[in-house]
Amino acid sequence: MALTQNEFAFVSGLVRREAAIVLESGKEYLVEARLLPLARRTGTVSVSEFVARAQRERVLADQIVDALTTNETSWLRDREPFTAFTDSVVPDLAERRGPQHKLRIWSAACSSGQEPYSLAMLLEESVRAGKYEIVATDISTEMIERAKAGRYSQLEVNRGLPVPMLVRYFDRVGTEWQVAEALRRNISFQKVNLAAPLPQMAPFDVVFLRNVLIYFDLETKRSVLRRIRSLMRPDGWLFLGAAETTIGIDDGFERVVAGRASAYRPRAATTAPVGATRKG
């Protein structure tokens, strides 16, 4: 049975209120597809009955928010930002901070962990080995637990993970692959809602906030970018998704080209490194 208008209004209102994600009319099919497994898992006959229960039981409402948070990810996703990170950003920060500085990197909306682990592998293969810490956050409790566990199926490691990295940084556990402890020790995971007040954290050198802003309305984008900028070092780096920008949203950032990728820096960072140029 299809969701009624009132049921969809409840779900879309809940997700917007809790996670600032906008579900416009026409997304009913998406809501039904995401909630059907939850309904079956809780022994509920239909999605409509599950939504009715969620209106009474807070724990089910939390599960709805988790289910409707997009968790599409892969290793070294859209490779160019990672290339820019290793070829332009890391050398720039090493020159500015000195070789002994411990880089602080935030992987926001980390999903099941492929992004922070990808960054860690790249850093381990550079001169920065061991001289970094990565904070990985997501709004989904389920995703944070999965990322923290660091265990992936063969299908998951096949999505973009180079074989040499798989061999070097993973251990085979039955039919799955476990991220090696040596890689995990520099990464911490915590639940964070980007659309809510952020926890106190030390300033970051680099922030990866990719493919997140596209789900927010304009005012939420502005507030998220403002809060992110307040947690960045003045000469830090911000990476967004290919379809995202700070232009026309937060004038506190300027866009620069790093290799074949675009990145954003607080406007106080007026000196671009070799291979990076301003772009508006």
Side-chain angles (χ1 to χ4, degrees), residues 190-232:
Q190 60 179 299
K191 181 176 179 177
V192 169
N193 183 349
L194 295 171
L198 298 175
Q200 289 188 340
M201 294 186 280
F204 293 97
D205 298 292
V206 186
V207 178
F208 275 71
L209 180 72
R210 303 173 64 222
N211 307 305
V212 180
L213 295 180
I214 54 175
Y215 299 104
F216 298 150
D217 61 27
L218 180 59
E219 286 307 310
T220 303
K221 290 177 183 178
R222 283 179 176 149
S223 63
V224 168
L225 286 171
R226 184 176 64 252
R227 289 194 292 268
I228 293 285
R229 184 159 44 83
S230 73
L231 289 173
M232 292 176 63

Side-chain angles (χ1 to χ4, degrees), residues 26-263:
K27 296 290 187 180
E28 289 85 353
Y29 71 94
L30 172 65
V31 171
E32 290 180 50
R34 294 285 181 87
L35 297 189
L36 183 58
L38 281 180
R40 289 173 173 168
R41 194 184 310 159
T42 57
T44 311
V45 174
S46 66
V47 172
S48 291
E49 184 179 327
F50 178 79
V51 171
R53 280 187 59 188
Q55 291 175 299
R56 304 188 302 270
E57 302 175 29
R58 176 67 208 186
V59 64
L60 296 183
D62 290 342
Q63 291 178 29
I64 287 176
V65 174
D66 269 11
L68 289 170
T69 303
T70 300
N71 293 306
E72 171 64 22
T73 190
S74 59
W75 304 95
L76 302 170
R77 184 181 181 186
D78 306 325
R79 183 65 193 243
E80 293 306 329
F82 291 96
T83 301
F85 174 71
T86 54
D87 292 355
S88 296
V89 174
V90 172
D92 168 65
L93 292 173
E95 182 177 344
R96 290 171 182 269
R97 311 270 197 269
Q100 299 306 312
H101 173 73
K102 179 175 281 191
L103 293 180
R104 276 183 53 82
I105 301 156
W106 183 6
S107 173
C110 70
S111 188
S112 48
Q114 283 87 332
E115 180 177 87
Y117 288 128
S118 293
L119 291 168
M121 286 186 284
L122 292 174
L123 286 164
E124 287 294 329
E125 303 207 339
S126 76
V127 296
R128 304 298 305 184
K131 299 173 184 174
Y132 66 91
E133 55 182 319
I134 298 173
V135 177
T137 69
D138 200 272
I139 192 175
S140 169
T141 301
E142 179 183 356
M143 286 299 107
I144 285 295
E145 292 305 314
R146 283 207 61 208
K148 191 183 299 184
R151 186 171 290 194
Y152 301 93
S153 67
Q154 185 67 53
L155 179 63
E156 287 172 317
V157 298
N158 285 345
R159 298 194 65 197
L161 183 62
V163 172
M165 285 185 166
L166 175 63
V167 172
R168 191 172 301 127
Y169 299 110
F170 289 75
D171 299 315
R172 191 68 182 258
V173 181
T175 60
E176 297 181 312
W177 293 90
Q178 174 76 57
V179 178
E181 179 59 31
L183 196 67
R184 298 164 65 190
R185 64 189 174 198
N186 293 322
I187 308 175
S188 62
F189 295 91
Q190 60 179 299
K191 181 176 179 177
V192 169
N193 183 349
L194 295 171
L198 298 175
Q200 289 188 340
M201 294 186 280
F204 293 97
D205 298 292
V206 186
V207 178
F208 275 71
L209 180 72
R210 303 173 64 222
N211 307 305
V212 180
L213 295 180
I214 54 175
Y215 299 104
F216 298 150
D217 61 27
L218 180 59
E219 286 307 310
T220 303
K221 290 177 183 178
R222 283 179 176 149
S223 63
V224 168
L225 286 171
R226 184 176 64 252
R227 289 194 292 268
I228 293 285
R229 184 159 44 83
S230 73
L231 289 173
M232 292 176 63
R233 290 185 180 274
D235 57 353
W237 293 78
L238 170 67
F239 284 94
L240 301 178
E244 299 168 324
T245 184
T246 66
I247 297 172
I249 302 173
D250 186 338
D251 292 336
F253 285 99
E254 66 174 340
R255 186 181 181 188
V256 298
V257 175
R260 296 174 61 182
S262 292

